[in-house]
Amino acid sequence: MPDLLLGRPVRLSKELAAEVAEVEALVRELNAAEPTSPHLESFARFLLRSEAVASSRIEGVVASARAIALLELMMGRKPGEAASAKGIGEGAREVVNNVLTLREAVSTLTQTSAVTADDIHALQAALFAGTEVSELSGRPRDKQSWVGGDITSPRNAEFVPPPPSAVPDLMDDLAAFLSKDHPHPLVHAALVHAQFETIHPYFDGNGRTGRALIHTALARQRIATGHVLPISLSLLAHPAEYIAGLSAYRYVGAPDSTAAAEGTEAWIRVFLAATRDAVEEAKRFTDELAEMRFRWDHRLADFRESEGLRPQPRKGAAVLRCMEQLPGVPIVTARAAEALLGVTFPSASGALEELVGAGILTVKDPVKGERGERAFLATEVLDLINGAERRLRYTRWDLPSG
């Protein structure tokens, strides 16, 4: 049974307070830095998708980057048809739902004056829209649950959350705490996440919902604006430390006890390590996308010259604007490009064909349910996330025992 967040004393040691200030400065510096990525909105979409994919993978919900991007495309065009589309796995549906949920977490929940428990329930429900369990989602559990062990008894469980009767008051407290300003935004986000995971209010989707709330907290505290940090990508690469940190947070004792201080500090250190890695990865993503765009510009110029055209398209040309959007929309059809760019269908089709000729896009079979339209893929964008996950596996954390 966790202590309530409102009014709980949180003591930071001198060393931890210095680390909090250091990592917070890194996050603010990233926000203030002149981006090397050529298109901010597209970069923000790229980061959001990367975070949602990683958060889903932590829970074992896996789908290929192509399946995810394809379903995103279909949902953007025809949400109703996408819900029943054939050939799309349940994993891809849940990951795309997580993308949409995370987008809601950093938009609507950031703009509302006060977050409520019902707002959080709606986030969890959105994770399972169009799935087999959609009717069971969106409300707190009404039975005892546990993590680990077996399905018959919590006797050997790794963690047993509070009884269902305690969940409503704990969620109201969490929502009120999430809505308040805090002098240490990263500490605030860390506490929100660990408290939510300890409450474990739902039968499924707790991890993804809880990690979405990290970004709600960071956005509401105005420390991460305009984009999400790929914190889940870092946690995905360090599962043992992640679990150990959450376990340490579940201290036994009074809220002002030594056990409470040590356990909370242990978790905050894990969260800071993940945030530090996320800042570095965001910087790396901006550089990689800028380098990718540099290569694309040269490929396009070479192709246009081979076709007897001037190497550089005119400023504002559809082909250039389409390239700018690809990090955020790595799979697109001509109809989707027409709407995205605000150009005619022939102009959108011509831009895509030109990018295929330059080796920037590849062509996929016609999209099901899209009147036989071909899908155009920016495969280099889809591959970036895999490289990030491999890199982060080799970063070392010095985790306090708590």
Side-chain angles (χ1 to χ4, degrees):
M1 177 71 71
D3 293 312
L4 297 177
L5 284 174
L6 290 175
R8 183 197 301 185
V10 177
R11 303 197 309 266
L12 302 181
S13 66
K14 183 178 179 180
E15 294 76 16
L16 181 58
E19 187 177 357
V20 168
E22 178 188 352
V23 180
E24 181 177 318
L26 292 175
V27 176
R28 294 190 186 281
E29 180 183 334
L30 177 67
N31 281 341
E34 187 69 27
T36 56
S37 184
H39 194 271
L40 289 179
E41 181 184 353
S42 183
F43 176 61
R45 284 201 300 268
F46 173 85
L47 283 180
L48 189 140
R49 180 189 291 105
S50 301
E51 174 69 359
V53 169
S55 183
S56 298
R57 282 176 60 86
I58 291 174
E59 305 303 311
V61 180
V62 180
S64 71
R66 292 189 183 193
I68 294 164
L70 180 59
L71 185 56
E72 272 192 286
L73 169 66
M74 295 175 69
M75 292 179 77
R77 287 289 307 278
K78 303 182 180 101
E81 289 184 15
S84 59
K86 297 180 180 180
I88 300 295
E90 194 81 353
R93 294 181 198 278
E94 289 196 30
V95 175
V96 171
N97 284 348
N98 202 17
V99 173
L100 301 176
T101 298
L102 183 53
R103 188 173 297 151
E104 181 77 2
V106 297
S107 57
T108 302
L109 292 196
T110 300
Q111 297 159 7
T112 185
S113 58
V115 179
T116 67
D118 285 341
D119 291 329
I120 301 174
H121 299 334
L123 277 187
Q124 190 267 353
L127 285 175
F128 299 100
T131 70
E132 296 178 353
V133 297
S134 60
E135 294 182 0
L136 303 176
S137 60
R139 54 182 181 268
R141 55 186 168 84
D142 57 3
K143 297 179 181 179
Q144 184 63 52
S145 64
W146 55 88
V147 178
D150 58 57
I151 62 173
T152 62
S153 167
R155 181 176 299 173
N156 298 315
E158 297 168 10
F159 170 62
V160 181
S165 60
V167 170
D169 287 345
L170 287 168
M171 287 297 291
D172 285 341
D173 170 73
L174 174 74
F177 181 78
L178 176 59
S179 301
K180 294 178 72 69
D181 287 337
H182 195 281
H184 303 294
L186 294 182
V187 172
H188 181 257
L191 293 175
V192 165
H193 179 63
Q195 183 80 349
F196 180 88
E197 299 307 327
T198 302
I199 299 170
H200 216 72
Y202 311 113
F203 282 114
D204 199 2
N206 292 287
R208 282 165 284 171
T209 306
R211 283 183 291 276
L213 291 179
I214 290 173
H215 301 288
T216 300
L218 294 177
R220 289 186 68 90
Q221 298 294 323
R222 298 171 295 281
I223 188 174
T225 57
H227 60 265
V228 301
L229 288 170
I231 293 174
S232 293
L233 197 60
S234 184
L235 294 173
L236 173 65
H238 297 86
E241 292 96 327
Y242 183 24
I243 293 171
L246 289 176
S247 296
Y249 175 83
R250 294 158 187 165
Y251 56 82
V252 176
D256 58 352
S257 64
T258 299
E262 290 178 348
T264 301
E265 179 164 320
W267 161 244
I268 292 173
R269 289 191 185 280
V270 172
F271 187 80
L272 292 176
T275 304
R276 189 189 297 271
D277 281 356
V279 170
E280 291 303 313
E281 205 54 42
K283 290 179 181 177
R284 190 188 296 268
F285 277 144
T286 64
D287 292 341
E288 289 179 337
L289 290 170
E291 291 170 5
M292 182 183 298
R293 176 59 189 271
F294 180 79
R295 295 194 302 270
W296 287 353
D297 285 339
H298 280 272
R299 288 185 205 167
L300 182 61
D302 291 343
F303 172 73
R304 287 176 62 87
E305 280 192 307
S306 71
E307 295 291 302
L309 303 171
R310 48 182 283 185
Q312 300 299 326
R314 60 176 177 77
K315 185 177 180 180
V319 66
L320 292 179
R321 291 165 54 212
C322 189
M323 271 202 302
E324 289 175 347
Q325 297 286 346
L326 290 179
V329 190
I331 293 184
V332 66
T333 64
R335 291 289 180 194
E338 176 186 13
L340 184 67
L341 304 176
V343 297
T344 64
F345 181 80
S347 180
S349 299
L352 293 172
E353 295 293 350
E354 193 169 337
L355 293 175
V356 171
I360 295 166
L361 292 176
T362 57
V363 181
K364 182 180 172 59
D365 293 336
V367 183
K368 294 179 180 180
E370 292 288 314
R371 299 180 184 176
E373 282 193 77
R374 296 179 301 164
F376 297 82
L377 286 67
T379 55
E380 292 169 86
V381 174
L382 296 174
D383 291 340
L384 275 186
I385 187 70
N386 296 326
E389 186 179 331
R390 287 193 297 269
R391 285 194 300 268
L392 286 169
R393 287 177 188 163
Y394 296 100
T395 58
R396 299 288 298 272
W397 291 357
D398 294 322
L399 182 68
S401 57

